[in-house]
Amino acid sequence: MSMDSLITVENLYRYYGELCAVHDLCFEVRRGEVLGFLGPNGAGKSTTMRIIGGNLAPSAGRVLINGVDILDQPVLAKAELGFLPETPPLYRDLTVNEYLVYCARINRIPRSQQRAAIDSAKERCGLTEVGRRLIANLSKGYQQRVGIAQAIIHSPSVVLLDEPTVGLDPIQIREIRALIRDVANEHSVVLSTHILPEVQSVCDRVQIINRGRLVLNESIEQMREKLQATTLLIALRSMPSISELESVAGVASVELVEDGRVRIGYGAESDPSDAIVEQAVANGWGLHELTPERMTLEQVFVDITSSDAHAHGESGKHGGKGEAA
Ligand code: ATP
């Protein structure tokens, strides 16, 4: 465990009966970091978030919040932790003010500091004008702001947000994303989502979970490099041999695509477009199409999760007890 680790997850497992929803998860969240926790539906994101948040016991493994074991000393650990679960824990019959007073109390904020804590959380979440409204009467976007306000009211070092923009309309999504960015300025954040641009716009690091296992853990910088490693799609009337194409300067790979076109892979620093055009003219290949294909995070995500599913489905190598179907 590193010195500045706010969340340390060690060999975490969670079974639901025979189903292994979380399998040997290990990772850290450091001070100041915004971690995107990505995964398809059913991957185990909510299960992991609930265990880290202290709402669900793991089958094995442990979670430390700022060095404190969440199971051994939950009160101490939770003082450093804010949690917005997938279903926000809102009391719809309370006003925003009443609810936040309740949250300030259960988070053991000293009475003399409650007012300031509530005002500050309301201001940061854009709730100052709606303090007297019943939560039930707020739009879903505003209800989500209240959910975020309760997660930050006690100024925790780290905030867990489980799918915070699900079910919101596009305008509300933009507003909540801006709010998450603001929260990230003052707290470390773990943001679970399946919305990829959210990760790209907010996070420093991305971690992909699939079928309960971590399949990728990279900085956004590393991810960007990966996204820059692009391919070209070319169409030629008079197809040369694969080896001729492979010998063009900068070409790293050549793949025939079903529709007769050719996908050319290359490294981030060596775009072979010019060389391909020159060779095509010199050798009469009849180049009539050259289209850059940019890898999106979505493709990376689909590639990783589907190849992982393939590996598990085919080989049975990891086919332990209770493996997800
Ligand atoms: P989603 O985005 O759909 O919420 P997720 O990545 O958060 O997905 P989890 O909710 O953690 O995934 O679920 C992981 C697996 O565990 C799924 O196969 C799910 O069906 C199963 N699961 C979750 N909760 C329970 C439960 N209480 N009892 C039995 N199985 C469960």
Side-chain angles (χ1 to χ4, degrees), residues 28-50:
E28 281 188 345
V29 181
R30 301 198 174 171
R31 196 169 290 280
E33 192 169 54
V34 181
L35 172 67
F37 197 44
L38 263 178
N41 285 343
K45 300 183 297 294
S46 294
T47 299
T48 307
M49 297 289 259
R50 288 177 60 209

Side-chain angles (χ1 to χ4, degrees), residues 14-17 19-22 39-50 56 86 162-163 192 194 209 212 324:
R14 171 72 205 199
Y15 287 89
Y16 294 111
L19 175 79
C20 184
V22 169
N41 285 343
K45 300 183 297 294
S46 294
T47 299
T48 307
M49 297 289 259
R50 288 177 60 209
L56 182 71
E86 199 171 16
D162 193 2
E163 305 252 13
S192 104
H194 56 254
I209 184 173

Side-chain angles (χ1 to χ4, degrees), residues 34-38 45 49 159-165 177 180 189-195 198-199 202-203 207:
V34 181
L35 172 67
F37 197 44
L38 263 178
K45 300 183 297 294
M49 297 289 259
V159 180
L160 310 176
L161 304 172
D162 193 2
E163 305 252 13
T165 57
R177 265 187 215 160
I180 295 169
V189 173
V190 183
L191 172 70
S192 104
T193 181
H194 56 254
I195 303 171
E198 212 152 83
V199 169
V202 183
C203 300
Q207 196 164 275

